[in-house]
């Protein structure tokens, strides 16, 4: 068992009416798996752990778009810890766009958008990749494989979620927030064809939602 919070199959039953859900998604999600407040509390602890394990400059690299909200909240906690602890750990921010999903499945084709020039700038640096979810693991393994040739000092991965799926290639990130059941989840910047990023809680998409936002 890894060092994360496990959301079990039975647990994803917070009723929608007990939380505030944007009206435009009321029919499109079936339950809340992880309320926003719990996500934030967990990220605070991840930030504390990460801060304790680095001592030089750290480059925090956001995998867009899904990683954006986790990245923003994580970096805020990292800054507040370095400030309050008087720790000498400058943090640089970087962004990379990786895409492979259409509807609810991985296309297997991973597109990485960061110029060779920008990537060469990472040479000799401690880099932490920040991702929303590890599902099959294929996207992340391709990205790490690609980054290897740029001779980073260290390369670690923080993912807010890891999915318990039989399709996993076994990749486990260095820092994980929650292990989630094998469902397609949305919210907190996780999307279904670019929808649901503006939902704060992490929810299971409903059959109606899947149909409504399906790409042709
Ligand atoms: N939700 C949103 N995006 C994803 C998922 C998921 O369950 N798995 C891989 N990308
Ligand atoms: Mg996505």
């Amino acid at each position: 068992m890894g060092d994360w919070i496990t959301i079990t199959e039975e647990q994803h039953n917070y009723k929608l009416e007990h939380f505030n859900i944007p009206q435009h998604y009321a029919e499109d999600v079936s339950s809340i798996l992880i309320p926003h407040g719990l996500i934030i509390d967990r990220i605070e602890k991840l930030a504390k752990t990460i801060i304790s394990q680095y001592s030089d400059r750290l480059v925090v690299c956001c995998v867009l778009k899904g990683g954006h909200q986790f990245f923003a909240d994580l970096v805020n906690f990292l800054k507040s810890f370095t400030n309050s602890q008087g720790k000498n750990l400058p943090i640089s921010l970087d962004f990379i766009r990786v895409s492979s999903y259409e509807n609810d499945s991985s296309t297997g084709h991973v597109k990485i958008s960061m110029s060779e020039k920008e990537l060469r700038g990472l040479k000799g640096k401690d880099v932490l990749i920040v991702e929303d979810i590890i599902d099959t693991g294929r996207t992340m393994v391709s990205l790490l494989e690609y980054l290897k040739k740029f001779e980073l000092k260290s390369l670690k991965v923080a993912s807010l979620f890891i999915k318990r799926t039989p399709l996993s290639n076994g990749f486990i990130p260095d820092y994980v927030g929650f292990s989630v059941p094998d469902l397609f989840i949305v919210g907190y910047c996780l999307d279904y064809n670019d929808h649901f990023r503006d939902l704060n809680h992490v929810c299971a998409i409903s059959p109606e939602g899947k149909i409504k936002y399906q790409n042709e």
Side-chain angles (χ1 to χ4, degrees):
M1 189 62 110
D3 193 14
W4 49 63
I5 294 175
T6 299
I7 305 295
T8 64
E9 270 69 7
E10 303 76 49
Q11 232 168 332
H12 59 269
N13 57 2
Y14 291 106
K15 289 190 186 146
L16 297 178
E17 57 265 37
H18 291 164
F19 290 86
N20 184 32
I21 296 274
Q23 207 186 334
H24 50 274
Y25 293 135
E27 307 293 315
D28 308 329
V29 292
S30 48
S31 66
I32 297 177
L33 260 83
I34 315 175
H36 182 245
L38 178 56
I39 297 171
I40 298 296
D41 289 340
R42 178 71 184 129
I43 294 173
E44 181 177 17
K45 182 58 196 275
L46 289 178
K48 196 173 176 191
T49 306
I50 290 167
I51 282 289
S52 72
Q53 295 178 357
Y54 287 94
S55 54
D56 202 348
R57 171 175 291 276
L58 175 62
V59 180
V60 187
C61 182
C62 175
V63 180
L64 294 170
K65 300 178 191 173
H68 150 265
Q69 193 63 58
F70 174 35
F71 173 85
D73 289 324
L74 183 71
V75 168
N76 268 342
F77 280 120
L78 292 173
K79 286 191 295 188
S80 87
F81 282 130
T82 52
N83 290 350
S84 64
Q85 294 172 6
K87 182 155 173 157
N88 192 1
L89 182 71
I91 295 170
S92 310
L93 309 183
D94 231 320
F95 300 85
I96 192 164
R97 189 152 179 185
V98 179
S99 49
S100 72
Y101 271 73
E102 176 141 65
N103 294 328
D104 57 358
S105 47
S106 172
T107 60
H109 304 286
V110 177
K111 287 184 285 185
I112 296 166
S113 72
M114 205 180 193
S115 70
E116 289 257 337
K117 183 166 174 255
E118 284 175 294
L119 288 162
R120 278 198 300 273
L122 297 177
K123 186 172 173 178
K125 303 211 169 127
D126 286 311
V127 177
L128 177 66
I129 305 284
V130 176
E131 172 68 298
D132 53 357
I133 185 164
I134 302 297
D135 192 315
T136 64
R138 280 200 292 190
T139 307
M140 188 50 67
V141 166
S142 309
L143 176 61
L144 296 179
E145 194 56 39
Y146 184 71
L147 291 177
K148 253 190 206 161
K149 66 176 180 192
F150 296 96
E151 300 173 56
L152 315 184
K153 180 174 164 201
S154 72
L155 180 57
K156 285 193 186 184
V157 177
S159 180
L160 187 54
F161 305 107
I162 185 166
K163 195 181 281 191
R164 296 190 297 280
T165 165
L167 301 178
S168 165
N169 64 4
F171 175 76
I172 307 238
D174 303 274
Y175 308 100
V176 179
F178 302 87
S179 156
V180 293
D182 193 8
L183 296 170
F184 200 80
I185 58 172
V186 293
Y188 195 74
C189 217
L190 280 98
D191 72 304
Y192 177 70
N193 292 332
D194 262 332
H195 299 278
F196 298 102
R197 296 200 199 274
D198 56 334
L199 168 66
N200 276 336
H201 312 293
V202 166
C203 300
I205 191 168
S206 68
E208 293 83 359
K210 255 196 188 178
I211 291 166
K212 185 162 159 190
Y213 299 112
Q214 197 152 35
N215 280 349
E216 293 308 314

